Amino acid sequence: MKRLLSLCLIFCLSQIEIKAQEITMFSGFFDYQYYQGDTRITKKELKNLMETNQEALTHWNRSKTFSTLTLVALASEIGFFVWEVSDNKPFENESNNTITTIGVTGSFAAVLAFNFLSNLQKKKSILKYNQGLEKKTTFEIQPAKNGFGMAIVF
């Protein structure tokens, strides 16, 4: 009876699958909102979770780099725009706006590109973290390779 009970217990334990809660990302008004299961988490908590998976942390750090480059390009966008507005002489035809127009257009394209790359790296980091959670931490019962009986394989 004890053998049957222990065999049933081992079989039931081998079927249990333990999974951590996945991270999801939703767009907010100014920034993204992050959730682990049903609870909202902060960026600091998210970074602590990303540190458990090296590949996800790499994508997260790239996202931070692209986000910083986005802010730098936005600052240059504002600078070129102010230069163009302040250099505009409406009653004189001597204004040369070629440099400022190229600067405004180029920095706007850089803002769009870096922001897109930042969001792409954020999504990749969350996907890599969630893929790391899919690894099974179970064991199963298989026939023994040497002789008769059963063996537990981790």
Side-chain angles (χ1 to χ4, degrees):
M1 183 67 179
K2 288 184 181 181
R3 289 184 184 175
L4 181 62
L5 183 61
S6 62
L7 185 62
C8 287
L9 181 65
I10 290 174
F11 180 74
C12 289
L13 287 176
S14 68
Q15 301 302 318
I16 294 175
E17 215 176 290
I18 300 172
K19 286 188 177 181
Q21 294 178 342
E22 291 186 348
I23 296 175
T24 52
M25 177 174 75
F26 297 106
S27 59
F29 190 69
F30 286 112
D31 201 9
Y32 287 103
Q33 298 174 352
Y34 303 100
Y35 291 87
Q36 185 179 21
D38 292 336
T39 59
R40 187 173 177 185
I41 58 175
T42 62
K43 282 187 179 181
K44 188 175 183 179
E45 294 170 339
L46 179 64
K47 185 171 181 184
N48 290 337
L49 289 173
M50 291 292 171
E51 288 176 352
T52 60
N53 187 337
Q54 191 61 36
E55 192 173 358
L57 183 64
T58 303
H59 286 295
W60 184 258
N61 289 337
R62 285 181 191 162
S63 167
K64 288 296 173 192
T65 303
F66 284 128
S67 180
T68 303
L69 290 173
T70 300
L71 293 176
V72 169
L74 184 62
S76 67
E77 169 81 19
I78 292 169
F80 278 118
F81 182 73
V82 168
W83 183 17
E84 184 172 356
V85 170
S86 67
D87 192 36
N88 193 6
K89 299 173 184 170
F91 300 111
E92 298 176 12
N93 290 331
E94 298 176 12
S95 179
N96 186 3
N97 291 338
T98 306
I99 295 173
T100 56
T101 304
I102 291 172
V104 167
T105 307
S107 59
F108 181 69
V111 166
L112 290 179
F114 288 139
N115 192 28
F116 174 75
L117 290 173
S118 174
N119 291 335
L120 186 68
Q121 291 297 321
K122 281 181 187 177
K123 290 177 184 177
K124 281 184 180 181
S125 69
I126 290 176
L127 285 175
K128 290 295 179 184
Y129 177 80
N130 289 341
Q131 285 175 355
L133 297 177
E134 292 176 359
K135 295 178 183 172
K136 294 182 180 180
T137 58
T138 62
F139 57 91
E140 55 186 319
I141 299 173
Q142 294 182 350
K145 300 198 190 258
N146 299 335
F148 296 103
M150 304 294 270
I152 298 175
V153 179
F154 292 95

